[in-house]
């Protein structure tokens, strides 16, 4: 949960995943179904090459089923990707994994040629829980170490199915500020990375627009409140987040709300839809194009000055002769 991603970490993770990729037949990519896009690692699609990916939308018990279906439809045609809603808490789901991997790698799966899988995902998506559930025992938590570590042992799940003993920890989409907030709201990145109250306000604004009824039921709100800051104050007041003198303690109010969101107490939700991500990507592209155009305009504007400067330098040189 507390990995801080720096370029050095990312390079190390990338190299190690590349090495491990040669030893596996399938990657089991664990996502947080409340943020199906932001919990994907941006590099995995390139790193995996031709290796198929079983994409588990974990924590389905916390997710909005309708939006989950939108994502499944969205990925349906993707070559080499099989996606399923999933929960490590659901024994029936866990028992289906060996069938799903066999579907993806039909030429392996016997005792002589077992399917070798690596579990991978960003921090806190449920990789260790998945390994424990598959193996029926607790493995040591990998926690703070980015990427795959040590030489990899293969652990037997069934006769024809093995998993590597250390999950691959991948970095989240930290370069996109909107995604960073969504990762923070669900608890996938450390609270200290972004201001706690800001995270709660982003989360609250999202619930106001997308899941107002659930919010109203949880906090017994009679009328719609559109302003996230005002609503955080109301939640703080209702839940006793007060300082001495009766002023609202906004940090405590943020804590109350975020604990509810992360624990699924308000109700099932998904913060991203394929359509919304497409719009966001378009905006990012447009912003990039605008920035580039502004740079070119600045260069063009500076051109005559540069030409004048080089002309002056030429004339000075001539004069000196
Ligand atoms: N509600 C719910 N919680 C889950 C599920 N699977 C895992 N969790 C919880 O998610 C949290 C993170 O799970 P871990 O298995 O530690 O996640 P991880 O990916 O190994 O985390 P790192 O070691 O930080 O990379 C724990 O509190 C788990 O209990 C699930 O299906 N539903």
């Amino acid at each position: 949960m507390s990995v801080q991603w720096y370029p050095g970490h990312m390079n190390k993770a990338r190299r190690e995943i590349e090495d491990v990729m040669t030893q596996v037949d399938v990657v089991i990519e664990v996502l947080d179904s409340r943020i199906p896009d932001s919990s994907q690692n941006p590099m995995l699609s390139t790193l995996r090459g031709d290796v198929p990916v079983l994409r588990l939308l974990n924590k389905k018990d916390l997710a909005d089923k309708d939006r989950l279906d939108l994502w499944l439809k969205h990925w349906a045609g993707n070559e080499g990707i099989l996606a399923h809603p999933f929960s490590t808490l659901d024994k029936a789901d866990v028992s289906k994994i060996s069938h799903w991997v066999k579907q993806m790698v039909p030429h392996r799966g016997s005792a002589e040629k077992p399917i070798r899988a690596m579990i991978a995902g960003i921090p806190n998506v449920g990789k260790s829980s998945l390994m424990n559930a598959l193996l029926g025992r607790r493995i040591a938590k990998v926690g703070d170490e980015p990427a795959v570590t040590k030489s990899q042992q293969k652990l037997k799940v069934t006769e024809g199915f093995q998993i590597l003993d250390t999950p691959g920890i991948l970095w989240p989409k930290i370069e996109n500020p909107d995604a960073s907030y969504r990762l923070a709201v669900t608890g996938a990145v450390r609270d200290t990375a972004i201001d706690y109250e800001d995270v709660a306000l982003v989360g609250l604004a999202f619930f106001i627009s997308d899941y107002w009824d659930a919010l109203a039921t949880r906090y017994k709100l009679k009328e719609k409140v559109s302003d996230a800051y005002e609503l955080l104050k109301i939640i703080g007041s209702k839940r006793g987040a007060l300082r001495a003198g009766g002023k609202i303690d906004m940090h405590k109010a943020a804590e109350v709300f975020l604990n509810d969101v992360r624990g699924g107490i308000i109700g099932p939700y998904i913060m991203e839809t394929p359509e919304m991500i497409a719009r966001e990507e378009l905006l990012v592209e447009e912003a990039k194009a605008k920035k580039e155009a502004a740079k070119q305009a600045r260069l063009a504007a500076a051109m005559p000055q540069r030409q004048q400067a080089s002309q002056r330098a030429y004339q000075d040189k001539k004069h000196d002769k």
Side-chain angles (χ1 to χ4, degrees), residues 232-272:
L232 192 57
K233 280 209 289 201
I234 294 171
I235 292 172
S237 146
K238 280 180 178 269
R239 301 291 295 275
L242 303 172
R243 288 180 196 285
K247 235 181 135 205
I248 311 283
D249 183 336
M250 293 302 272
H251 190 83
K252 235 190 202 156
E255 206 167 73
V256 166
F257 171 67
L258 285 176
N259 281 343
D260 283 356
V261 169
R262 291 172 183 172
I265 313 279
I266 299 173
Y269 66 94
I270 290 189
M271 295 191 80
E272 303 167 335

Side-chain angles (χ1 to χ4, degrees), residues 33-92:
S33 47
R34 297 165 302 169
I35 39 172
D37 186 74
S38 302
S39 63
Q40 278 177 52
N41 171 262
M43 286 298 297
L44 190 64
S45 54
T46 350
L47 288 181
R48 76 180 178 93
D50 292 332
V51 177
V53 174
L54 173 61
R55 188 171 274 173
L56 299 180
L57 285 147
N58 191 32
K59 310 194 187 185
K60 71 171 189 190
D61 50 305
L62 306 175
D64 166 345
K65 288 191 178 47
D66 293 339
R67 288 194 173 183
L68 212 48
D69 281 346
L70 293 180
W71 281 102
L72 295 174
K73 275 199 197 110
H74 180 68
W75 291 325
N78 285 11
E79 180 111 11
I81 294 179
L82 183 65
H84 283 287
F86 189 81
S87 171
T88 64
L89 311 172
D90 185 331
K91 285 206 171 91

Side-chain angles (χ1 to χ4, degrees), residues 13-236:
R14 183 182 294 121
R15 273 198 310 274
E16 289 178 344
I17 300 264
E18 258 166 356
D19 284 351
V20 168
M21 211 56 85
T22 58
Q23 305 170 34
V24 300
D25 308 299
V26 60
V27 175
I28 301 177
E29 182 187 23
V30 187
L31 301 183
D32 184 328
S33 47
R34 297 165 302 169
I35 39 172
D37 186 74
S38 302
S39 63
Q40 278 177 52
N41 171 262
M43 286 298 297
L44 190 64
S45 54
T46 350
L47 288 181
R48 76 180 178 93
D50 292 332
V51 177
V53 174
L54 173 61
R55 188 171 274 173
L56 299 180
L57 285 147
N58 191 32
K59 310 194 187 185
K60 71 171 189 190
D61 50 305
L62 306 175
D64 166 345
K65 288 191 178 47
D66 293 339
R67 288 194 173 183
L68 212 48
D69 281 346
L70 293 180
W71 281 102
L72 295 174
K73 275 199 197 110
H74 180 68
W75 291 325
N78 285 11
E79 180 111 11
I81 294 179
L82 183 65
H84 283 287
F86 189 81
S87 171
T88 64
L89 311 172
D90 185 331
K91 285 206 171 91
D93 279 356
V94 175
S95 69
K96 282 179 201 150
I97 291 189
S98 53
H99 167 70
W100 290 332
V101 291
K102 178 77 186 150
Q103 240 181 309
M104 304 197 81
V105 194
H107 60 286
R108 295 189 71 105
S110 60
E112 302 75 49
K113 277 169 110 190
I115 295 169
R116 298 152 306 178
M118 173 179 62
I119 292 170
I122 68 166
N124 209 37
V125 284
K127 299 179 296 298
S128 304
S129 308
L130 174 60
M131 291 192 75
N132 293 339
L134 279 172
L135 297 166
R137 64 185 156 91
R138 290 196 74 76
I139 52 134
K141 190 138 170 70
V142 278
D144 280 359
E145 192 58 28
V148 195
T149 50
K150 307 176 287 178
S151 61
Q152 292 272 302
Q153 303 271 325
K154 295 185 181 76
L155 306 174
K156 182 171 134 186
V157 179
T158 63
E159 276 308 317
F161 176 32
Q162 299 177 342
I163 51 173
L164 299 189
D165 70 350
T166 320
I169 304 185
L170 303 165
W171 59 94
K173 291 194 167 166
I174 41 184
E175 71 288 351
N176 174 350
D178 293 323
S180 300
Y181 273 101
R182 294 193 290 268
L183 285 153
V185 170
T186 54
V189 297
R190 278 216 294 181
D191 290 336
T192 49
I194 314 177
D195 181 82
Y196 203 63
E197 278 172 51
D198 284 353
V199 174
L201 290 172
V202 168
L204 209 41
F206 159 75
F207 271 87
I208 290 171
S209 89
D210 288 27
Y211 294 96
W212 170 257
D213 290 348
L215 208 55
T217 308
R218 171 67 184 158
Y219 300 112
K220 300 187 173 59
L221 306 164
K222 292 201 176 69
E223 278 166 34
K224 177 121 188 198
V225 183
S226 303
D227 185 289
Y229 191 77
E230 282 311 310
L231 186 51
L232 192 57
K233 280 209 289 201
I234 294 171
I235 292 172

